[in-house]
Amino acid sequence: NKKVFLHNTNMSFLVYIYYRLMSVFRFKQFAMSQDRCAMKIGTDGVLLGAWAFCKQASQILDIGTGTGLIALMLAQRNPVAHIDALEINIEAAEQANENMQASPWANRLTVFPTSLQTFASENKEKKYDLIVFDVFKGENPPAYLLSKENFEHLNSLIKLNGIIAINFNGFLNGKIGKSGRSIIKTILNN
């Protein structure tokens, strides 16, 4: 077990460093390995898994599942929902699947090692009550994720009155908020 001690820093940074060094992350009802995933468990994913409105959802899609954290948290919070999880990184998809199979909700969780574009084109009949989209790490999310085409794929998969919960790590005001305002405009115009 590794420990990190930093002098004169804030607690969230210490927690962030500790999360990054842990190979197994334990929650009350499940544990997760993260050693083969590039994007480790972090506060943003935990928060999205905690606040995404999922109580009424029977079908949930988790885009960019990484370790499977958000899918597992939603499965824990909603005892009936079936959750599909997409991950384009093969090693991360394998580890997410292992994490999900080791959970009490394995029969309601499915990992697809594919992109949103491929999944949407191959599963035109699938519709979801809730889509969670936590792929924004750092200041500059990959541009293709914010494309009009991607939002069209999201719209093709969401049920009427469904919810799309996006974790956006950025600004909305001023010059630096241009990309954030562009995302909102793209969503509203689709």
Side-chain angles (χ1 to χ4, degrees):
N1 211 356
K2 298 177 183 177
K3 294 181 181 176
V4 175
F5 296 96
L6 298 174
H7 179 64
N8 200 17
T9 187
N10 67 41
M11 183 54 106
S12 64
F13 185 69
L14 281 172
V15 169
Y16 174 81
I17 293 296
Y18 186 68
Y19 287 169
R20 297 297 185 229
L21 294 176
M22 294 174 65
S23 62
V24 176
F25 194 94
R26 299 188 190 289
F27 288 84
K28 284 185 178 181
Q29 297 182 35
F30 62 95
M32 303 183 63
S33 295
Q34 60 179 354
D35 57 306
R36 297 191 330 258
C37 295
M39 303 309 286
K40 307 297 185 203
I41 295 169
T43 307
D44 56 337
V46 172
L47 290 174
L48 183 58
W51 69 253
F53 184 76
C54 69
K55 294 292 183 194
Q56 305 299 318
S58 62
Q59 297 291 320
I60 299 173
L61 179 63
D62 176 12
I63 300 171
T65 198
T67 61
L69 169 70
I70 294 169
L72 283 162
M73 290 182 72
L74 296 175
Q76 179 180 332
R77 292 179 51 218
N78 181 325
V80 297
H82 177 81
I83 302 166
D84 291 336
L86 308 182
E87 177 54 55
I88 60 172
N89 181 291
I90 298 301
E91 280 192 74
E94 289 171 358
Q95 189 153 56
N97 189 55
E98 291 166 11
N99 288 333
M100 291 177 189
Q101 293 306 308
S103 79
W105 317 286
N107 64 328
R108 298 188 290 115
L109 297 159
T110 307
V111 177
F112 293 88
T114 189
S115 68
L116 171 62
Q117 299 88 341
T118 301
F119 183 82
S121 65
E122 293 176 357
N123 295 280
K124 294 181 182 198
E125 74 290 347
K126 286 201 175 221
K127 299 291 181 198
Y128 296 91
D129 304 293
L130 172 64
I131 298 176
V132 290
F133 199 24
D134 180 31
V135 291
F136 301 110
K137 304 287 186 187
E139 293 299 314
N140 298 310
Y144 71 91
L145 294 172
L146 307 176
S147 69
K148 183 178 181 191
E149 178 190 31
N150 251 19
F151 286 110
E152 288 170 356
H153 289 307
L154 286 173
N155 281 335
S156 74
L157 293 168
I158 195 76
K159 289 180 181 177
L160 185 64
N161 298 321
I163 297 170
I164 299 174
I166 300 174
N167 175 24
F168 173 67
N169 184 11
F171 300 93
L172 296 176
N173 297 321
K175 191 174 185 177
I176 59 174
K178 185 176 181 182
S179 65
R181 291 189 303 275
S182 176
I183 292 168
I184 292 171
K185 183 178 177 183
T186 302
I187 292 169
L188 294 175
N189 289 334
N190 273 309

